[in-house]
Amino acid sequence: MFGDIAMPNLVYVVVSIVLALSIHEAMHAFTAHWLGDNTAEQEGRLSLNPLRHIDPFSTVILPVITLIIFHVPILAAKPVPFNPERVKYEEFGSALIAAAGPLTNLVLAIASAVLLHGVTAGPLADFLITFIELNVVLFIFNIIPIPPLDGSRVLYAFAPEPVQRFMDQIEPYGIFLVFALVLTGVLLPLLTNLDNAILRLLP
């Protein structure tokens, strides 16, 4: 998804990651609050302040290392807590909270692509290109329907009970499964094709 990363561009990558993930997590929190749950607000997550959402290792160090080695950033922010019992519309409310994050990344990519048309070249153009690519990657990665990724929360709301039970069982190990599928290259062709398709469709 990302080609060879020159050292100066790592600054753009880190800034893009911090901004994109902070807004992603903030939208989870704002959506949960809109649906009636104040858990995120009580935890101080109802904010666009990156310091409320990022983890120094998993949000900054890990993605830089994996980007250099595998050309794919593997990253995570602090999960936004919410109480499903307080959320309106039950499982569908939880699905809305989950969908808010990746959809926000898609909107950020589209808005940045539009803005890029007004920028000819230079550092701002380089940053916008990085920001677009990173947000598309975050959108694709997070819609993978394997727990605990956001896509699984959406699938859970519409899945039959046997599938829900299976998803509950694998959730403690799901993130390791996702990382294994990415690092072994099993998911990489699919993710790359989706990434390229979305980038081609952007304005």
Side-chain angles (χ1 to χ4, degrees), residues 16-17 26 30 35 73 97 111 130 150 182 187:
S16 295
I17 287 171
F30 282 116
L35 290 171
I97 294 170
T130 302
D150 295 327
V182 172
L187 276 179

Side-chain angles (χ1 to χ4, degrees), residues 12-28 48 50 53-54 59 75 77 100-106 108-109 112 127 130-139 142:
Y12 299 147
V13 171
V14 171
V15 173
S16 295
I17 287 171
V18 170
L19 286 176
L21 276 183
S22 297
I23 299 171
H24 173 114
E25 297 298 334
M27 288 308 299
H28 283 316
L48 289 172
H53 304 291
I54 65 171
T59 311
L75 63 160
L103 288 178
T104 295
N105 291 123
L106 183 59
L108 288 172
S112 299
F127 170 75
T130 302
F131 191 65
I132 292 166
E133 291 181 352
L134 192 280
N135 274 285
V136 172
V137 168
L138 285 175
F139 169 73
N142 278 283

Side-chain angles (χ1 to χ4, degrees), residues 140-161:
I140 293 170
F141 183 76
N142 278 283
I143 62 172
I144 296 173
I146 300 176
L149 297 178
D150 295 327
S152 71
R153 307 297 185 193
V154 177
L155 174 62
Y156 192 93
F158 299 94
E161 188 174 340

Side-chain angles (χ1 to χ4, degrees), residues 112-190:
S112 299
V114 172
L115 181 59
L116 184 61
H117 285 293
V119 180
T120 54
L124 180 56
D126 293 339
F127 170 75
L128 286 172
I129 291 170
T130 302
F131 191 65
I132 292 166
E133 291 181 352
L134 192 280
N135 274 285
V136 172
V137 168
L138 285 175
F139 169 73
I140 293 170
F141 183 76
N142 278 283
I143 62 172
I144 296 173
I146 300 176
L149 297 178
D150 295 327
S152 71
R153 307 297 185 193
V154 177
L155 174 62
Y156 192 93
F158 299 94
E161 188 174 340
V163 175
Q164 290 181 338
R165 287 200 301 268
F166 175 73
M167 293 173 72
D168 289 336
Q169 291 172 351
I170 69 170
E171 180 160 1
Y173 320 102
I175 196 65
F176 301 106
L177 174 61
V178 172
F179 286 168
L181 291 173
V182 172
L183 294 179
T184 57
V186 175
L187 276 179
L188 196 56
L190 174 61

